[in-house]
Amino acid sequence: MSYIAVLPPWIVLDPLLHSWLLEDIGRGDRTTGSLLTGEVRLGCADWTAKQAGIIAGLPIAARVFQLLSHYANADKVPSGIGFIPMDVLLMGERVALNIAMRLSGIATLTQQYVEKIADLPARLVDTRKTTPGLRLLEKYACQVGGAINHRMGLDDAVMIKDNHIAAAGGIAEAIARIRQKMPYPLSIEVETTNLTEVEAALESGADIIMLDNMPLDLMHQAVQFIRSHSHQVKIEASGNITLKTIRAVAQTGVDYISTSGPVTRSTWLDLSMNIVNSSTDSLS
Amino acid sequence: MSYIAVLPPWIVLDPLLHSWLLEDIGRGDRTTGSLLTGEVRLGCADWTAKQAGIIAGLPIAARVFQLLSHYANADKVPSGIGFIPMDVLLMGERVALNIAMRLSGIATLTQQYVEKIADLPARLVDTRKTTPGLRLLEKYACQVGGAINHRMGLDDAVMIKDNHIAAAGGIAEAIARIRQKMPYPLSIEVETTNLTEVEAALESGADIIMLDNMPLDLMHQAVQFIRSHSHQVKIEASGNITLKTIRAVAQTGVDYISTSGPVTRSTWLDLSMNIVNSSTDSLS
Amino acid sequence: MSYIAVLPPWIVLDPLLHSWLLEDIGRGDRTTGSLLTGEVRLGCADWTAKQAGIIAGLPIAARVFQLLSHYANADKVPSGIGFIPMDVLLMGERVALNIAMRLSGIATLTQQYVEKIADLPARLVDTRKTTPGLRLLEKYACQVGGAINHRMGLDDAVMIKDNHIAAAGGIAEAIARIRQKMPYPLSIEVETTNLTEVEAALESGADIIMLDNMPLDLMHQAVQFIRSHSHQVKIEASGNITLKTIRAVAQTGVDYISTSGPVTRSTWLDLSMNIVNSSTDSLS
Amino acid sequence: MSYIAVLPPWIVLDPLLHSWLLEDIGRGDRTTGSLLTGEVRLGCADWTAKQAGIIAGLPIAARVFQLLSHYANADKVPSGIGFIPMDVLLMGERVALNIAMRLSGIATLTQQYVEKIADLPARLVDTRKTTPGLRLLEKYACQVGGAINHRMGLDDAVMIKDNHIAAAGGIAEAIARIRQKMPYPLSIEVETTNLTEVEAALESGADIIMLDNMPLDLMHQAVQFIRSHSHQVKIEASGNITLKTIRAVAQTGVDYISTSGPVTRSTWLDLSMNIVNSSTDSLS
Amino acid sequence: MSYIAVLPPWIVLDPLLHSWLLEDIGRGDRTTGSLLTGEVRLGCADWTAKQAGIIAGLPIAARVFQLLSHYANADKVPSGIGFIPMDVLLMGERVALNIAMRLSGIATLTQQYVEKIADLPARLVDTRKTTPGLRLLEKYACQVGGAINHRMGLDDAVMIKDNHIAAAGGIAEAIARIRQKMPYPLSIEVETTNLTEVEAALESGADIIMLDNMPLDLMHQAVQFIRSHSHQVKIEASGNITLKTIRAVAQTGVDYISTSGPVTRSTWLDLSMNIVNSSTDSLS
Amino acid sequence: MSYIAVLPPWIVLDPLLHSWLLEDIGRGDRTTGSLLTGEVRLGCADWTAKQAGIIAGLPIAARVFQLLSHYANADKVPSGIGFIPMDVLLMGERVALNIAMRLSGIATLTQQYVEKIADLPARLVDTRKTTPGLRLLEKYACQVGGAINHRMGLDDAVMIKDNHIAAAGGIAEAIARIRQKMPYPLSIEVETTNLTEVEAALESGADIIMLDNMPLDLMHQAVQFIRSHSHQVKIEASGNITLKTIRAVAQTGVDYISTSGPVTRSTWLDLSMNIVNSSTDSLS
């Protein structure tokens, strides 16, 4: 069960990585800056996982060191060796580990959810409950763990909730008004909590119907009802999904199960980095 | 046990909050943008904690809505009412909740650590293991939970580790070289793993000696040794601190116990927000 | 035929407006800065269209003056009057006119396309051929003129073209691989140029099939073929759409007709702004 | 008639190009990101003009691909080949074409104006009516078409209009006050609409006198009047300049003719880009 | 002798002031942040000059406090009182004083130069030798002291030096090539060091001729030579201008004397700020 | 007496250098851009100090040219030669010289202070009186001249002044409140002006006691008093330190002497740069 996740291109991510490095380095690494000057020492780093889990974020950790290397005095660095300057290793270590540990923790828990329903057609999807600033990367970690991403933000899909329906004066009115204005390839999803709302959403032409916090039997009825009318509409279950409940939810026949669990209930995977100093001899 | 935490001024934090809003809003909130136009609807929000815990981050959540309100068409908003535009509530909801849930989770676990040692002189301190981009706020959450912050980055204190010592040729040499160059109010901390290193650090004039991953009895000996020579030097215990082990560590007599646990092992506290639509009548 | 377009929130647009003002003001408005100092003069502005057309962008023009007013020395400005400082009017005039003239030109031509097919079910959609930096606003202008927006960028819908198909080894393979990785509410569109490709796209589960540069009779056949198999799949015509050809294309029964014409072939609508200086008397 | 235009250095333009790429790529190119991963495919691109015209902006289009290549995983790319990664070609294509098509449209129409007066001493100059955000590049396109740039913004020349004169209390007063404050190498231009104003501007020491919207015979008189008093003052005609009227205006003897026509009345030149996939064999 | 200087609009300057505040505040004012929380204390500040001199930069200092006030929790601040929050005063004090002291030092020395030639027609102008980042403000301080600004950067005037002449193959060639490409209202200045170069510059149509580092008698000859041929060309003396030499230089009849002295040889004017704490009573 | 200063890493400084280049280049170097196009000319630069002094900032000047070279069309530049493109030299010259002249002036005056006390234990430290925007670099220049840096901003040390003491209700109260909230490795410094305050600061556990503007005999008493109670507390003298008074102050036995003199009373060191054009032959 190997998933290849889609990482946004570096032109999108690099500004983020830059800001992380500046957050940690501040006005300069006092310790390294005071001790590792003059001659350039090179080194390399071994990473070890002290815990079983799914590793995510290694390309990002590598990019952290790559970015930092661009700012080192490259002309002093002997080329053609797989080692990089020690000060780069020391200055980038914490940031690289922090992101990899956080993302690996998410990927690990995601996979545990995914395994519960691996033999069923339902697919796990994530939510917009992500750490502010890390949306793209935490959703990447969910992919690494085997989930599919839900919408990335408020702009790439429409999700109609109770306040919207109230503002529009009904589900049908809301969908009609939105279809006139939103970019046409976007999907419209409607949150429903009972069969009346499910029916209204179905009749109004929703692309996705979310069954929100429904008891299992009600969810089962809703799926049956929708499927008896349409095979195109996607059905998403949401609300209180846990490792214990997810399988039963999947068995109702929904297409997608969305949960923030892997993001909000995961802890960091314990990784460590060991820096190996290149001996002076090896360079001479 | 109430702690008042120090939140950095908004001039420092606002750019961060802005970037979070843009991350979520992207090119615009399709749903709200399509449905809530024309007349301005006002509303207000109730926040509920579905779980016991320490709440952190409410001022930040409030600031999210304040920032977003600056961008609303203020001249259409009736003044003098405690309600704010509905589209501001809907667009800011997720970001405000996400940060408050994350920070409250940290504060809650921090407090559990702190309670274990509340009657002992040792104080809990955090680390640089923080989510990239959230350093200031996660350390604020640690304060809310009762901890003291350790250094904020690589620039506001010196921490000498094995690689630095190797580069300098010894603890004494490292400290001497650093004292010549670093800003003079900064402290120098040295990581030690055995008594020989403790002695070297003490003799070389370290301000803080970290006892890293020492067994309890060795830690006890180290504290005795240091205290027999100096009452000024601060002693910090670090490594594998858990809710189970922290009390025994504190009883060795160390001044500070540092752990990333509240940040890396906490989950989000479950909060929810309920938007109350102001009736049309109340405005007429 | 009045359309209400969705303008992204100011938190998204303001940075753009700022950069435009700085582009024009540079190191400072030499003329205004040298002549309009000391006492604050107020004024207001009349806008006139010297040409018939659809006006778009007035809220943006107004925002330009609003932004600039934030930077004026507000405490010198008598409040409660509908006039704003003269230097704000003079410094913002060119930027405000430039954007409104450009957008109105687009809206005007868009409407001409839309009118040609107003009685047919087909809807006009725009493309990614937009002036760099103005994507959101030019697409807003298209909405003002009566079109629906197509995808806003490379990230909110999938569009499979020949190079992608070649890379994947076929349409079916491409769609299968993409479904595993893209956010699930996104749509997949496939470009086709003949019936074989149309059939492959249909069988592989494309959400939207683009008929690219097809002769009218081929397009007609493609529509018949698709409709005989599915009523869910959306059909989009594209390529060489002009005011002369659009009606015939719409009559083939496609759902959407996409063209960059309103953006690439429109000229600016001629608008002018007349500044009325408030007399000194009216302020005394 | 070949003109070599002055393109601002990349350190000035690159931030602009970056923002364009991010505008189009958003959170990542879903199609390319999902299909072109793993092995690096290389390709190159042929550009074709489907319309006769003056091409402008090719260096900028090339820079778009160069910038994007910096963010590709360069270590996977075989060096020494003239091909670049396919994902770079696909992600940069639209932005590169959009800017080149827009600028080429401007250059093409500019040249048509220039040709009308090629045998006369008068020179064509552009205006500040440029697309917000594209000032530098649209003025570059005007140069490519054979025009000379007028002032680039509000800060590199003084232009005194009616509102300024009213504020200062007369042309002479305005010029005197400005000369005390503006950087001394800057020129002062005064807008005039009749001979009285022309005379006042001449006497007050204006460097450039603009004849704004004057009928041809009045313009002729104004030129005669100015030339009888000074050969240093530059004379600029402005207002309602079209391909039909420009030659007659030039024949009045003015030095410069300014018009926004090439920017506001041009359409995009039709260019297309064909991507050639490098065969797998050529890399083995 | 009072000069009113032109300060660029705040939309241009504010980002600079922001960056200064962040430079000083870093992650937060530890002292003020720890002590001045809870209730809002108000205060005001008296500024005192401990040295005679020309004060420059007070509007900028005031803006520093204004900007910082925007970030204070304004809803806690009693309105209608001339006092501002104490934490704003304490956090902005150093930045406000630093800029005012630096600019006042420049204005003071500028005025001493200006006074030496106050009865002569020659005017003092500044140079591009300014502290990186402070160009606009140091040139503003020069204006406050009575000087006129020279060009603001490399883009708003042409200055031909020896390397340029060598590259072009002569003064005439250089001017001819530049006239084809630069924005037409810009001036061309040529550096000359002897009469041959002066003659070449004059013949080639330079707008301004700089006499660089010429002995007084040679400068006198150059002025005579130029004036015998043209009264339009501006003459600028440059090089080794001091308070002792400036008067003799002005007496040669040059129009402008440029020197970096006020910027590079001035020291800070000693200013101090006294914060007055509003008593608690006055608020009750 | 050679000091090796700690320069912050380029990832911290580069954005600053970028902004300086853009400040000077504006919309493009008109002179160089018009003359040095087409073929790439190479050159190199000799730097000369026209004045004796301590040179500081050469690595920064070199970085200016390095940054600018990244934006040159590198593929046209013959590699393996020590020359860089002429347009890079001409565009970067002023910025590179300006920063080096300013920093060298500071380093030179710093060294004069340092020499006065070179045989005494007291060390010179700088202050927060630095040019806005240049804090890190001016403090680097102070290091080059032999001083030690004081705190870098409001966040990396606590400095309790009279307003803070008033707000807290006494020195002891202030220190106690701060210790609860500030990051624990930070030092607390208290400003004192008489022996009563010195005693209070000592008893309250201040890490550093500043003797502010004390007469020499009072300062002597304060040092004696402090030393009779503690050898850990650092003592800093401040206020009216000049080249004439510094030695006597040092002889009172203080550990540190802080003064803004090297920053506020230094003038620029006169440096010049001579560009050597590579002959065409050497490239062929």
Side-chain angles (χ1 to χ4, degrees), chain E residues 161-177:
Chain E
K161 304 189 179 188
D162 50 359
N163 284 295
H164 299 110
I165 295 170
I171 290 179
E173 291 75 4
I175 291 184
R177 282 172 61 178

Side-chain angles (χ1 to χ4, degrees), chain A residues 187-209:
Chain A
S187 300
I188 296 181
E189 177 164 1
V190 179
E191 268 192 26
T192 64
T193 56
N194 55 50
L195 291 184
T196 311
E197 290 172 3
V198 167
E199 189 173 356
L202 191 61
E203 284 178 359
S204 308
D207 298 302
I208 309 169
I209 296 176

Side-chain angles (χ1 to χ4, degrees), chain B residues 10-12 14-15, chain C residues 71, chain E residues 13-25 63-64 67-68 70-71 95:
Chain B
W10 295 122
I11 196 173
V12 174
D14 275 1
Chain C
Y71 292 98
Chain E
L13 295 180
D14 275 1
L16 210 57
L17 277 64
H18 254 104
S19 72
W20 300 344
L21 284 166
L22 291 178
E23 180 191 54
D24 194 34
I25 294 175
R63 185 72 176 178
V64 164
L67 277 179
L68 216 40
H70 289 169
Y71 291 99
V95 169

Side-chain angles (χ1 to χ4, degrees), chain C residues 214-248:
Chain C
M214 286 189 186
L216 279 177
D217 55 347
L218 180 55
M219 194 180 288
H220 187 76
Q221 289 178 53
V223 173
Q224 297 303 317
F225 178 82
I226 297 170
R227 281 294 163 260
S228 69
H229 290 79
S230 161
H231 283 278
Q232 261 69 35
V233 173
K234 298 171 188 168
I235 309 175
E236 174 185 333
S238 179
N240 291 321
I241 310 295
T242 67
L243 286 173
K244 289 190 181 163
T245 63
I246 189 169
R247 188 163 179 85

Side-chain angles (χ1 to χ4, degrees), chain A residues 22-253:
Chain A
L22 291 177
E23 180 191 55
D24 194 34
I25 294 175
R27 299 178 178 104
D29 179 345
R30 292 295 161 194
T31 320
T32 302
S34 301
L35 293 178
L36 288 169
T37 52
E39 53 171 327
V40 173
R41 286 167 196 266
L42 301 182
C44 68
D46 286 332
W47 283 52
T48 313
K50 302 177 178 176
Q51 248 182 306
I54 304 294
I55 305 296
L58 285 192
I60 301 157
R63 185 70 176 179
V64 164
F65 293 112
Q66 211 176 338
L67 278 179
L68 216 40
S69 297
H70 289 169
Y71 291 99
N73 283 324
D75 53 347
K76 292 191 186 167
V77 182
S79 61
I81 309 179
F83 286 54
I84 61 173
M86 281 293 286
D87 58 345
V88 165
L89 285 171
L90 288 164
M91 270 194 278
E93 176 183 9
R94 191 71 266 141
V95 169
L97 277 171
N98 284 353
I99 190 63
M101 290 169 73
R102 169 72 180 142
L103 298 186
S104 299
I106 292 173
T108 299
L109 185 50
T110 301
Q111 201 209 29
Q112 294 172 17
Y113 278 85
V114 168
E115 278 177 352
K116 298 283 184 189
I117 57 171
D119 59 327
L120 297 173
R123 296 293 306 268
L124 187 75
V125 296
D126 53 25
T127 74
R128 280 170 52 240
K129 280 192 194 169
T130 55
T131 310
L134 294 191
R135 172 77 47 90
L136 295 183
L137 292 174
E138 293 189 341
K139 282 183 170 262
Y140 154 80
C142 289
Q143 271 194 56
V144 172
I148 293 185
N149 297 145
H150 205 299
R151 64 174 177 166
M152 305 302 287
L154 293 166
D155 58 335
D156 63 343
V158 167
M159 172 86 77
I160 302 178
K161 303 189 179 188
D162 50 359
N163 284 295
H164 300 110
I165 295 171
I171 289 180
E173 291 76 3
I175 291 185
R177 282 172 61 178
I178 286 179
R179 286 247 186 263
Q180 290 296 321
K181 295 183 185 175
M182 73 171 192
Y184 96 84
L186 301 195
S187 300
I188 296 181
E189 177 164 1
V190 179
E191 268 192 26
T192 64
T193 56
N194 55 50
L195 291 184
T196 311
E197 290 172 3
V198 167
E199 189 173 356
L202 191 61
E203 284 178 359
S204 308
D207 298 302
I208 309 169
I209 296 176
M210 179 199 282
L211 312 179
D212 192 34
N213 270 311
M214 288 190 186
L216 279 177
D217 53 348
L218 179 58
M219 193 180 289
H220 188 75
Q221 288 177 54
V223 173
Q224 296 303 316
F225 177 81
I226 297 171
R227 281 293 164 260
S228 69
H229 290 79
S230 163
H231 284 277
Q232 260 70 33
V233 173
K234 298 172 187 169
I235 309 175
E236 175 186 331
S238 180
N240 291 324
I241 310 296
T242 66
L243 286 173
K244 289 190 182 164
T245 63
I246 189 169
R247 188 164 179 85
V249 170
Q251 286 168 335
T252 64

